[in-house]
Amino acid sequence: HQLLFRIAEWFILLTFKIHLIMEINSVTIGIVVVVLATLPILYIILNSTKTNNSIKKKFTSLCTQNGAQPTNYEVIGGAILGMDSSHKKVMYSSLSDLENRFQIIDLATIKNCQIKTMKSKKQFLELVALELDGPEFHINIVVYDEDDDTLMADPNTCLHEVQKWEQLIKQQLN
């Protein structure tokens, strides 16, 4: 009887060890899968932050070189917008060609500021832009264009952000 009892005890212990090893392996595999899935996301976030900081530094430098001191600026979709409240100026540029598309507009010359959107037949936003009109200019600052394959931005977020800028500019016009 004791021999059978010892064999049964050994068998139960062996079964327990096998289950424990399988559990540890399952947990290890799960952890590895989660880590591998999050690494690309972390890389994209860190790279995006680094790129945005670089763009903001270049934009600030361009503003300073052209006599403007940005008190407020923001990257929105495919553009960067800024304002110099003390000198009453709006600065903007396209992210795709920051230096060559950089512009400064005196707020006193702006007569109208409004948002332009285009929607598809299915009511998806295809274009989000801020329109600035003056006596001698009509400017479309495109922040989202569905046809821009390099842009990874949500059109509704771009619309929300550009609405804040529309209000900010309109407050300065009054």
Side-chain angles (χ1 to χ4, degrees), residues 20-156:
L20 185 63
I21 290 170
M22 289 175 63
E23 293 260 340
I24 291 171
N25 285 340
S26 296
V27 169
T28 304
I29 290 170
I31 290 171
V32 168
V33 167
V34 168
V35 167
L36 289 176
T38 55
L39 282 177
I41 295 167
L42 287 174
Y43 174 76
I44 290 169
I45 290 170
L46 292 174
N47 197 29
S48 172
T49 303
K50 184 179 172 184
T51 302
N52 271 354
N53 288 340
S54 172
I55 288 167
K56 287 177 180 179
K57 278 184 182 179
K58 284 181 187 176
F59 184 75
T60 304
S61 175
L62 287 168
C63 291
T64 305
Q65 289 170 14
N66 289 282
Q69 297 299 319
T71 51
N72 189 6
Y73 57 91
E74 184 175 13
V75 174
I76 305 172
I80 184 166
L81 296 166
M83 184 177 290
D84 180 344
S85 298
S86 60
H87 294 105
K88 302 275 188 184
K89 297 190 183 298
V90 174
M91 299 80 66
Y92 73 92
S93 188
S94 169
L95 298 184
S96 63
D97 193 5
L98 194 65
E99 291 182 23
N100 292 323
R101 292 192 176 177
F102 178 80
Q103 293 288 319
I104 295 180
I105 302 168
D106 192 339
L107 282 166
T109 63
I110 299 173
K111 301 300 177 207
N112 189 29
C113 173
Q114 66 185 19
I115 295 172
K116 176 183 178 181
T117 60
M118 287 177 43
K119 292 185 176 182
S120 66
K121 292 178 183 175
K122 295 181 180 180
Q123 296 299 308
F124 294 114
L125 282 170
E126 291 183 346
L127 179 85
V128 178
L130 184 65
E131 286 186 339
L132 303 176
D133 291 312
E136 297 180 18
F137 62 86
H138 175 81
I139 298 168
N140 273 328
I141 303 170
V142 177
V143 295
Y144 177 82
D145 185 352
E146 186 179 280
D147 295 332
D148 185 353
D149 294 331
T150 64
L151 183 62
M152 292 181 60
D154 176 57
N156 292 313

Side-chain angles (χ1 to χ4, degrees), residues 3-29:
L3 181 62
L4 283 175
F5 181 72
R6 290 215 173 215
I7 291 174
E9 188 178 58
W10 179 80
F11 182 74
I12 291 171
L13 189 60
L14 181 64
T15 305
F16 176 75
K17 285 182 179 181
I18 290 172
H19 283 286
L20 185 63
I21 290 170
M22 289 175 63
E23 293 260 340
I24 291 171
N25 285 340
S26 296
V27 169
T28 304
I29 290 170

